[in-house]
Amino acid sequence: MTCIYCYGNIPAIAFMNLVQIYRCLCDKTRLLILHLLKQGPLCVCHFQDILQLPQVAVSKHLAYLRRTGMVEAHRHEQWMIYSLPTSPGRELDLQLRCLQDCVQTEPVFRADLHRLKALGPKCNWIPQALEAPAAAKKAIGTSCRSARCAT
């Protein structure tokens, strides 16, 4: 098996990872989520706003991606913040790069990026919340500024 990104054979041990990765990628909503996470970490309410989906649907897809190791979740106060793995495996990294190349001309992906950009200031607290030491997290004074959150 060869890949246009690695220009070589994919080891047999990586094959199961690829099967798992492609099972995740075969769903449109999960593709959209991964594409958004390539831009940076987000909380569930941001996905709701951008994808215009109910919280249950978003959470279901995020849980699936989390179980397979394609996303990581971090709790900050009452929010779950999702991001791509800090050290993605080679196979996942290559597939995410391929996804970024493939979606450039797709209107639905561009529309999601436009909605993400419009949320910009409402998402600014996330990187700081992820980097802050546990004791200092309360001092940040974060609140989710998404239209979906009441806080």
Side-chain angles (χ1 to χ4, degrees):
M1 181 182 268
T2 60
C3 171
I4 63 170
Y5 283 95
C6 60
Y7 300 103
N9 289 332
I10 298 172
I13 195 159
F15 185 70
M16 276 312 283
N17 290 337
L18 279 177
V19 170
Q20 195 172 32
I21 289 168
Y22 281 115
R23 282 185 182 146
C24 290
L25 296 178
C26 72
D27 181 89
K28 178 184 173 185
T29 302
R30 291 192 291 265
L31 279 176
L32 296 170
I33 288 171
L34 290 169
H35 179 249
L36 290 168
L37 287 176
K38 193 70 174 162
Q39 315 309 310
L42 296 168
C43 73
V44 175
C45 56
H46 298 132
F47 288 113
Q48 287 177 257
D49 286 346
I50 295 166
L51 301 175
Q52 301 170 346
L53 291 172
Q55 183 270 329
V56 172
V58 171
S59 292
K60 179 185 85 163
H61 288 291
L62 287 167
Y64 185 88
L65 290 167
R66 186 176 179 191
R67 278 192 310 273
T68 60
M70 292 184 71
V71 300
E72 295 176 344
H74 307 277
R75 179 167 294 286
H76 176 73
E77 297 175 7
Q78 67 265 31
W79 298 285
M80 286 300 286
I81 301 170
Y82 290 86
S83 61
L84 293 174
T86 52
S87 299
R90 182 172 179 256
E91 298 81 19
L92 177 56
D93 183 55
L94 292 170
Q95 299 311 312
L96 290 173
R97 281 197 274 158
C98 180
L99 173 64
Q100 293 307 302
D101 288 346
C102 295
V103 301
Q104 298 302 316
T105 58
E106 293 295 320
V108 67
F109 291 95
R110 286 198 319 262
D112 286 349
L113 287 180
H114 180 71
R115 284 191 289 273
L116 174 62
K117 189 175 181 178
L119 282 179
K122 298 175 185 178
C123 303
N124 288 344
W125 62 271
I126 293 174
Q128 185 182 5
L130 290 175
E131 292 173 6
K137 282 187 178 179
K138 292 210 178 239
I140 294 173
T142 62
S143 64
C144 184
R145 293 161 188 90
S146 170
R148 305 248 182 219
C149 288
T151 58

